[in-house]
Amino acid sequence: MNFDITETQELIAESIKKFGETHIKPYMMDWDEKQTFPVELFRKLGEMGFMGVLVPHKYGGSELDYHDYIVILDEISKIDSSIGLSVAAHNSLCTNHILEFGNEAQKQKWLPKLASGEWIGAWGLTEHNTGSDAGGMSTTAVKDGDYYIINGAKNFTTHGKSGDIAVVMTRTGEKGDSHGMSAFVIERGTKGFSSGKKENKLGMRASETAEMIFDNCRIHKDNLLGEEGEGFVQALKVLDGGRISIGALALGIAKGSYEASLKYSKEREQFGKPISKFQAISFKLADMATEIEASELLLHKAAYLKNKGERITKLGAMAKMYASEVCVKIASEAIQIHGGYGYTKDFPVEKFYRDSKLCTIGEGTTEIQKLVIARDILK
């Protein structure tokens, strides 16, 4: 593996920092307070090439690799992890599912609009009674000639209300049958497809999370991704790559928390000297820096294998699990270093702390990651 930062990655980091100063930082706390999903911001990110990161040039994408993708999510999430989450969900889930499993006509039809940011993507797997047990889903797709009739609902869907297009996993066979589920692409405006409750969340409040409802939603068979019965297997493969993105999101939160703490510890004086001079604080910073380094290396190893087209089920789960748990720990320690000020909204660590917890839950809880890892090493 080559650990050098590429010129492309340096340009990405610099462009995001400049973009963030103008288009994110002045508004992020207002978005957070009001739970505003800033749709137009994602149009601008699309113009910069960050909404079709992995999509080939021929479909209007940036055709970057997973190392570059980690840098993009890391840098955005250091500024506002809510925006990082939405960029990750759009790229890794909806867009990547179509890229990986769509036929040529489907790719030509949908990927250019997703890659440009003209359309925002959603991805529906989770339901009210099926989180980790996705195989028990109740949403059904029943064949009716050249069409499928879809009934049911998905919840905790990123962009479930504002998304222009959604990849939706449905049951076309028996519950619990891994080959009894199929994936469909459904455009907003399709009769029978509507949005429901928007969740009022602890953190990641500028990243929209809402229900998607299907009431006799009639979809042509051309909207089926792959073959009938392949949806669940497809979803698991999509989640493998998606775990790199959530790990990168967590990495950005951890770095943002650490950098804010390092700066504050050098400025804040107690007993006649900066608090960074006290061993209790300096050791916290040392632990933070080490754990961030380990998270980043693990993520880039997973990216290295993903770029080579190798299986990353175990390593992706390891990277996601470790980076997400580390980010929660570091965000908590950042509050402690800031003391009372860390508990106020005047300093950035309060928001990092609230946002961090989602990383241990979304795209598979820590417990599910351990299950995935254990199954792999015990084969």
Side-chain angles (χ1 to χ4, degrees), residues 27-39:
Y27 314 105
M28 55 187 275
M29 291 311 294
D30 187 55
W31 294 337
D32 183 79
E33 291 286 340
K34 296 176 181 176
Q35 280 209 113
T36 301
F37 177 57
V39 174

Side-chain angles (χ1 to χ4, degrees), residues 16-243:
I16 290 172
K17 286 173 186 173
K18 289 180 180 178
F19 181 85
E21 288 294 331
T22 304
H23 298 288
I24 300 177
K25 281 189 177 180
Y27 314 105
M28 55 187 275
M29 291 311 294
D30 187 55
W31 294 337
D32 183 79
E33 291 286 340
K34 296 176 181 176
Q35 280 209 113
T36 301
F37 177 57
V39 174
E40 289 308 312
L41 178 77
F42 294 94
R43 313 287 188 224
K44 293 185 177 73
L45 287 168
E47 292 170 7
M48 296 175 70
F50 298 146
M51 298 296 275
V53 178
L54 305 168
V55 176
H57 293 312
K58 68 177 181 176
Y59 304 122
S62 299
E63 203 170 323
L64 298 173
D65 67 16
Y66 272 84
H67 295 299
D68 303 325
Y69 189 27
I70 289 171
V71 173
I72 290 166
L73 292 175
D74 174 8
E75 291 294 336
I76 292 174
S77 301
K78 280 164 63 176
I79 302 167
D80 185 348
S81 36
S82 291
I83 305 306
L85 174 61
S86 278
V87 171
H90 172 92
N91 278 282
S92 289
L93 301 180
C94 179
T95 304
N96 200 46
H97 198 140
I98 296 170
L99 177 63
E100 290 289 325
F101 300 105
N103 58 38
E104 186 60 26
Q106 291 170 333
K107 292 177 185 179
Q108 292 282 0
K109 182 178 182 181
W110 292 309
L111 288 179
K113 291 181 178 180
L114 287 163
S116 68
E118 179 186 347
W119 279 11
I120 292 172
W123 193 77
L125 177 64
T126 301
E127 298 182 2
H128 293 83
N129 294 317
T130 57
S132 298
D133 180 22
M137 71 176 63
S138 297
T139 298
T140 58
V142 178
K143 193 85 179 285
D144 180 24
D146 287 341
Y147 291 82
Y148 287 85
I149 310 300
I150 299 177
N151 282 286
K154 300 291 179 179
N155 75 330
F156 295 139
T157 304
T158 304
H159 314 144
K161 184 176 182 179
S162 297
D164 301 282
I165 186 171
V167 175
V168 180
M169 267 50 68
T170 67
R171 186 163 55 79
T172 48
E174 297 300 316
K175 279 192 177 184
D177 179 4
S178 62
H179 296 286
M181 285 163 274
S182 304
F184 293 88
V185 179
I186 308 177
E187 296 181 19
R188 186 69 64 180
T190 302
K191 187 177 180 181
F193 175 25
S194 62
S195 59
K197 177 188 175 186
K198 179 179 176 179
E199 302 296 340
N200 186 9
K201 301 177 296 182
L202 168 71
M204 301 289 192
R205 289 170 60 82
S207 179
E208 178 187 276
T209 306
E211 288 178 311
M212 296 191 297
I213 299 169
F214 306 94
D215 181 10
N216 290 319
C217 183
R218 191 175 176 84
I219 296 297
H220 194 271
K221 65 181 182 181
D222 288 348
N223 287 41
L224 173 67
L225 288 172
E227 299 296 325
E228 186 176 303
E230 293 180 348
F232 189 63
V233 175
Q234 291 175 6
L236 293 180
K237 291 179 180 177
V238 168
L239 287 170
D240 276 351
R243 284 167 184 151

Side-chain angles (χ1 to χ4, degrees), residues 280-301:
I281 302 300
S282 65
F283 276 17
K284 287 182 188 296
L285 294 168
D287 285 340
M288 287 177 170
T290 303
E291 288 164 342
I292 286 170
E293 193 75 18
S295 296
E296 193 158 22
L297 289 169
L298 193 52
L299 282 163
H300 279 289
K301 184 175 180 181

Side-chain angles (χ1 to χ4, degrees), residues 249-290:
L249 172 68
L251 178 66
I253 294 172
K255 284 185 179 180
S257 301
Y258 164 73
E259 290 171 9
S261 299
L262 186 64
K263 180 177 182 290
Y264 181 81
S265 72
K266 291 177 178 179
E267 297 171 349
R268 173 68 166 170
E269 291 192 0
Q270 292 288 275
F271 306 103
K273 58 183 177 181
I275 63 171
S276 60
K277 297 295 184 182
F278 293 99
Q279 192 179 78
I281 302 300
S282 65
F283 276 17
K284 287 182 188 296
L285 294 168
D287 285 340
M288 287 177 170
T290 303

